[in-house]
């Protein structure tokens, strides 16, 4: 399978715990995007990378959120001290270079904070 | 007011009907994506367009940059077309996508 893969598919955690999600983009895709989607809403932009450089970060992301793409391949999104409002589907997408090329999405990580 | 708005929010149709979903935006964009999302979360890119019209099978997407409007049309709709359709605009001079809230389409046999 050469698509975008995300791990885990589902994560249930208690409020206050830290969680980390992983995204493996399509190989040779330089751009990697993180989005968040809540029920009944369209996805919201969180952040994106060009290779290992984080180019933009949404104001939606508080200091509890951090994302990395250390070697320009896979990326991790960490949420510290989770809150119930963090419950959402976290989506990863990749493209070859720019957003005006075809985007490929992973299946997402569904986070539930109890 | 959202920067990207879609209409209608929900749409039901009988199999075979012609479907139109609209997307309007209030910001400067370089291009726009149409995406399809099935239950369970998987999102598939249908089209990316910056001008004119694109066609793929029974799907047609159009965009009018001056009028800040795009449409997705489905001809001869089928129950398997049932999904949420989302437009996402690429802001000018960035690679940031702003998403619409989606249109939930149900096609009944």
């Amino acid at each position: 399978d050469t698509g975008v893969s995300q791990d885990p598919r589902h994560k249930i955690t208690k409020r206050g715990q830290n969680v980390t999600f992983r995204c493996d983009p399509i190989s040779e895709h330089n751009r990697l995007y993180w989005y968040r989607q809540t029920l009944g809403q369209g996805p919201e932009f969180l952040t994106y990378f060009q290779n290992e450089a984080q180019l933009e970060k949404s104001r939606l992301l508080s200091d509890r959120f951090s994302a990395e793409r250390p070697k320009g391949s896979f990326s991790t999104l960490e949420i510290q001290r989770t809150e119930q409002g963090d419950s959402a589907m976290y989506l990863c997408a990749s493209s070859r270079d720019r957003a005006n090329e075809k985007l490929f999405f992973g299946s997402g990580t569904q986070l539930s904070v109890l | 007011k959202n920067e990207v708005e879609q209409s209608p929010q929900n749409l039901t149709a009988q199999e075979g009907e012609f479907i139109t979903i609209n997307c309007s935006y209030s910001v400067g964009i370089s291009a726009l994506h149409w995406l399809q999302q099935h239950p369970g979360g998987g999102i598939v890119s249908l089209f990316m367009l910056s001008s004119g019209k694109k066609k793929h099978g029974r799907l047609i997407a159009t965009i009018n940059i001056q009028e800040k409007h795009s449409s997705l049309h489905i001809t001869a709709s089928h129950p398997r077309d049932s999904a949420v359709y989302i437009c996402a605009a690429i802001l000018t001079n960035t690679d940031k996508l702003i998403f619409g809230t989606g249109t939930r389409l149900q096609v009944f046999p």
Side-chain angles (χ1 to χ4, degrees):
Chain A
D1 184 8
T2 57
V4 178
S5 63
Q6 291 187 247
D7 183 69
R9 287 295 307 275
H10 303 275
K11 179 70 178 178
I12 300 173
T13 192
K14 291 183 180 178
R15 191 172 48 191
Q17 298 294 303
N18 299 344
V19 294
T20 300
F21 310 140
R22 176 177 169 127
C23 172
D24 286 87
I26 292 172
S27 61
E28 299 177 356
H29 276 195
N30 297 320
R31 283 291 170 99
L32 186 148
Y33 306 84
W34 284 101
Y35 304 101
R36 179 173 67 186
Q37 186 177 27
T38 53
L39 198 62
Q41 299 297 314
E44 297 173 298
F45 167 80
L46 293 179
T47 188
Y48 76 94
F49 293 84
Q50 172 74 22
N51 299 315
E52 66 275 10
Q54 187 173 19
L55 297 187
E56 189 171 346
K57 186 175 173 179
S58 168
R59 284 170 292 180
L60 291 174
L61 254 60
S62 72
D63 291 342
R64 296 184 298 105
F65 288 72
S66 62
E68 293 182 340
R69 195 181 181 198
K71 297 181 181 178
S73 56
F74 73 92
S75 176
T76 57
L77 177 68
E78 182 183 16
I79 309 174
Q80 296 181 326
R81 303 181 304 282
T82 52
E83 301 173 356
Q84 286 186 322
D86 298 330
S87 297
M89 174 76 83
Y90 289 83
L91 295 163
C92 175
S94 71
S95 65
R96 187 173 298 276
D97 271 313
R98 302 292 307 276
N100 59 352
E101 299 180 9
K102 189 166 182 179
L103 283 175
F104 294 83
F105 284 81
S107 298
T109 294
Q110 181 67 54
L111 172 66
S112 297
V113 182
L114 305 179
Chain B
K1 183 172 164 59
N2 292 336
E3 292 168 305
V4 178
E5 302 235 341
Q6 287 185 236
S7 63
Q9 284 189 308
N10 295 284
L11 185 55
T12 57
Q14 288 295 125
E15 183 173 357
E17 285 185 4
F18 181 83
I19 303 287
T20 295
I21 299 170
N22 296 300
C23 177
S24 59
Y25 49 91
S26 57
V27 293
I29 73 168
S30 59
L32 183 140
H33 289 270
W34 278 102
L35 310 169
Q36 180 191 57
Q37 185 171 31
H38 281 284
I43 295 179
V44 174
S45 176
L46 299 174
F47 296 102
M48 195 285 299
L49 64 167
S50 54
S51 65
K53 175 179 173 178
K54 286 190 176 179
K55 184 175 189 293
H56 181 70
R58 295 180 295 105
L59 302 178
I60 304 167
T62 64
I63 190 168
N64 185 318
I65 293 289
Q66 286 75 25
E67 293 186 4
K68 295 185 183 291
H69 182 267
S70 177
S71 293
L72 177 68
H73 305 284
I74 305 175
T75 61
S77 58
H78 190 275
R80 65 174 173 266
D81 297 327
S82 299
V84 175
Y85 292 83
I86 303 170
C87 65
I90 305 169
L91 296 186
T92 306
N93 297 326
T94 79
D95 273 359
K96 182 177 175 179
L97 267 71
I98 305 294
F99 292 79
T101 53
T103 294
R104 183 174 301 276
L105 171 66
Q106 288 185 293
V107 182
F108 294 98

